[in-house]
Amino acid sequence: MPTIEEPARHVPLYGEYEVAVLGGGPAGIAAAVAAARAGRRTLLIERYGFLGGMGTAAGVTNFCGLHANVYGQMHRVVQGIASDLSARIDRLGGLNAPHLILGKILAQAYDAAAYKIAADDLLGTHRVDILFHALGAGVVMHDEKRIHALMVETKAGRRAITADIFIDCSGDGDLAAWAGARYEVGDNEGSMLYPSMMFRLNGVDPSKAGEAWRTIPALMEKAEAAGQHRFPRRAAIVRPQRSPIEWRVNFTQLARADGRAINGLEPDDLTRGELEGRRQAVDAFNFLRTVPGFENSYIVDLPPQLGIRETRRVIGGHMLSGADVLGCASFNDSIGVNGWPMESHVAGDVIFKFPPIPQSRGFNELPYRMLIPEGLDNLMVAGRCASMTHDGQSAARVSGACFAMGEAAGTAAALALDGNALPRELAVGRLQTRLKEEGVFMGRDQTVPDGV
Ligand SMILES: Cc1cc2nc3c(=O)[nH]c(=O)nc-3n(C[C@H](O)[C@H](O)[C@H](O)COP(=O)(O)OP(=O)(O)OC[C@H]3O[C@@H](n4cnc5c(N)ncnc54)[C@H](O)[C@@H]3O)c2cc1C
């Protein structure tokens, strides 16, 4: 690509912080709240004007991974800040009761507006400073191991933010990549988990629709066999929201012309994905209107962006693997748990793989080392871009584990600053004690929390 030289310039300093968190999804919300709760001057930087990450910006509107199937019984295993946030959503009347997925695991839907309001409220309560409408765009390094400033683009121009510790919760590992961290992308064969364009329908007749999620797969097969519709993937998810006249639709799958997944790091791919995603949404809607109860429905929401499941996965001290998930692995440095199965969005399909039910405890622990990128001293990574293999990420990328990783990263950043230590030098026992005091379940010697 030809290049243009940009003259060097002096960039105004927006602020000096103890902890700066890039990205306001589940990981970033929890990281910023945890650091501020521990008394650290904390800034959360987000490119949109609201929090929630893919959960709001991509219309996901459903928590997975808060629960685990423990020897055949459902338990709410991700607690701590996630519980505080979901209670706030509930108080706004925006939280569904948990529902069963595939008869094996619970998920819990919510209203996007309630999530946004509850998250503002949560961060406000803990005095997190927020900078919305700021796109992280690069870093200035002290030296090759230490980040000096995060550079952001705003409507007022470019700004610099300094911090003692940075936490990359961008989902894409943007900050880690700019700082020179090593990372992997996708399945090492050029494809990632496929993205989807979510959308929601309103005007569904709940009495006629009933449990339509059970009948829709067979209706899809029939429509395809009759040559009436062609679907980009099997395993469509169509489920009611808090108000049963509104349903979310997770139906689409976005590929490049060569059949590989749209790459969420490439602007031209993203452009194609948005356009094709909306086209597929209309196709799916035309089919759904033939399903009893959906005849008078309409598309009430197409989210601000295409849903990206996987891009960069930063390499840290341990890469959580598919074997860790299926084997319900334990780690001495556990900082939380994941109870979601592997959920691989492959070409044309979605493949779930669960730990054995009911023989296994149904969750794996998440080691602190997942949050510590190799080679960088004042950077932590939490959420879907943390240190995981392609298979491990297909499970622990969902909201529950991202909240857990974020809460641990923010708490660890504050503790590291207390002790004038690097995050990687932190005595993990102290972190575990603090997380326990905050109501976090980490597996280990703790009793599995009761209830859902
Ligand atoms: C279609 C789809 C369906 C899904 N379904 C479910 C489900 O039902 N339940 C579930 O729990 N999970 C689901 N997931 C997964 C889940 O939503 C995400 O993996 C999870 O939100 C990841 O959390 P995160 O905080 O790591 O990152 P994200 O949620 O991706 O948040 C990252 C945040 O960082 C911001 N950001 C990124 N780069 C920059 C930058 N350079 N500058 C400033 N801000 C930046 C983004 O705007 C975003 O707000 C789904 C995902 C997709 C795509």
Side-chain angles (χ1 to χ4, degrees):
M1 204 186 271
T3 59
I4 289 180
E5 189 176 335
E6 191 181 12
R9 54 187 160 152
H10 290 274
V11 174
L13 181 61
Y14 174 81
E16 295 171 297
Y17 283 84
E18 291 178 300
V19 179
V21 177
L22 182 65
I29 290 171
V33 167
R37 180 177 67 185
R40 292 296 164 178
R41 196 167 131 70
T42 302
L43 177 70
L44 184 148
I45 302 115
E46 167 57 49
R47 69 177 146 176
Y48 293 123
F50 54 85
L51 301 168
M54 291 298 129
T56 51
V60 164
T61 60
N62 184 47
F63 291 133
C64 296
L66 295 178
H67 300 89
N69 185 332
V70 184
Y71 302 112
Q73 298 290 323
M74 300 299 169
H75 291 260
R76 168 77 186 258
V77 290
V78 175
Q79 307 260 350
I81 289 167
S83 295
D84 189 341
L85 179 67
S86 57
R88 285 169 201 259
I89 298 174
D90 198 21
R91 285 200 289 279
L92 291 163
L95 193 66
N96 286 34
H99 59 279
L100 257 185
I101 300 276
L102 304 170
K104 291 181 175 171
I105 189 77
L106 291 175
Q108 191 161 19
Y110 54 81
D111 284 350
Y115 188 161
K116 291 178 190 173
I117 295 164
D120 287 349
D121 194 36
L122 176 65
L123 268 69
T125 303
H126 290 282
R127 299 178 192 283
V128 176
D129 284 356
I130 302 176
L131 181 62
F132 280 142
H133 297 289
L135 178 71
V139 289
V140 172
M141 303 292 288
H142 271 297
D143 54 52
E144 62 179 28
K145 289 183 149 193
R146 214 174 152 77
I147 302 165
H148 176 45
L150 168 67
M151 312 307 276
V152 300
E153 296 292 348
T154 76
K155 277 287 186 184
R158 196 167 171 89
R159 294 289 182 269
I161 293 154
T162 62
D164 297 319
I165 295 184
F166 293 86
I167 308 180
D168 187 343
C169 297
S170 66
D172 294 323
D174 286 355
L175 175 48
W178 298 323
R182 286 207 308 135
Y183 58 84
E184 292 181 354
V185 180
D187 60 1
N188 298 326
E189 284 167 23
S191 204
M192 292 161 237
L193 298 182
Y194 282 74
S196 296
M197 175 65 76
M198 299 284 298
F199 62 99
R200 291 200 308 284
L201 296 176
N202 209 336
V204 177
D205 177 343
S207 58
K208 272 176 83 182
E211 297 192 343
W213 59 89
R214 295 188 198 283
T215 51
I216 283 173
L219 294 173
M220 286 169 69
E221 270 180 35
K222 212 167 131 193
E224 229 168 15
Q228 292 156 341
H229 290 277
R230 282 200 58 213
F231 301 105
R233 72 177 224 218
R234 287 147 44 94
I237 301 167
V238 187
R239 301 290 295 225
Q241 295 298 107
R242 183 78 175 83
S243 162
I245 61 170
E246 183 181 318
W247 289 49
R248 74 177 177 284
V249 186
N250 182 343
F251 214 106
T252 62
Q253 183 174 89
L254 283 314
R256 298 162 16 153
D258 65 6
R260 292 175 183 183
I262 287 285
N263 181 344
L265 301 172
E266 291 291 338
D268 287 339
D269 268 27
L270 283 167
T271 304
R272 177 189 160 96
E274 298 284 358
L275 295 170
E276 172 65 9
R278 288 191 278 274
R279 197 197 60 71
Q280 287 188 13
V282 172
D283 267 3
F285 174 55
N286 286 335
F287 160 73
L288 285 168
R289 270 201 301 196
T290 67
V291 175
F294 288 75
E295 298 87 344
N296 298 316
S297 65
Y298 61 96
I299 297 179
V300 68
D301 184 50
L302 277 161
Q305 74 150 88
L306 175 66
I308 300 296
R309 294 187 167 86
E310 181 194 12
T311 51
R312 298 186 190 98
R313 292 173 284 97
V314 176
I315 298 177
H318 180 85
M319 296 187 83
L320 188 84
S321 67
D324 290 336
V325 172
L326 297 180
C328 301
S330 296
F331 298 98
N332 288 336
D333 59 342
S334 173
I335 46 78
V337 301
N338 165 60
W340 196 249
M342 283 173 57
E343 182 191 326
S344 302
H345 287 252
V346 297
D349 210 348
V350 186
I351 297 169
F352 283 85
K353 285 189 195 151
F354 285 80
I357 298 173
Q359 297 81 359
S360 76
R361 69 173 183 189
F363 63 83
N364 63 276
E365 296 172 357
L366 301 165
Y368 179 54
R369 285 161 291 159
M370 288 175 68
L371 313 179
I372 310 292
E374 285 178 345
L376 285 146
D377 283 348
N378 66 341
L379 176 68
M380 305 181 75
V381 179
R384 67 179 169 87
C385 54
S387 179
M388 304 181 253
T389 66
H390 176 67
D391 285 345
Q393 199 265 7
S394 79
R397 70 190 166 84
V398 296
S399 309
C402 291
F403 282 123
M405 288 185 247
E407 181 159 1
T411 308
L415 281 174
L417 292 172
D418 289 349
N420 207 14
L422 301 179
R424 91 162 54 81
E425 296 167 351
L426 190 66
V428 176
R430 282 187 60 215
L431 173 61
Q432 290 169 326
T433 303
R434 182 64 62 85
L435 289 171
K436 246 189 238 179
E437 287 164 2
E438 296 293 352
V440 171
F441 175 67
M442 286 166 280
R444 311 288 304 147
D445 56 350
Q446 287 173 280
T447 310
V448 181
D450 272 335
V452 295

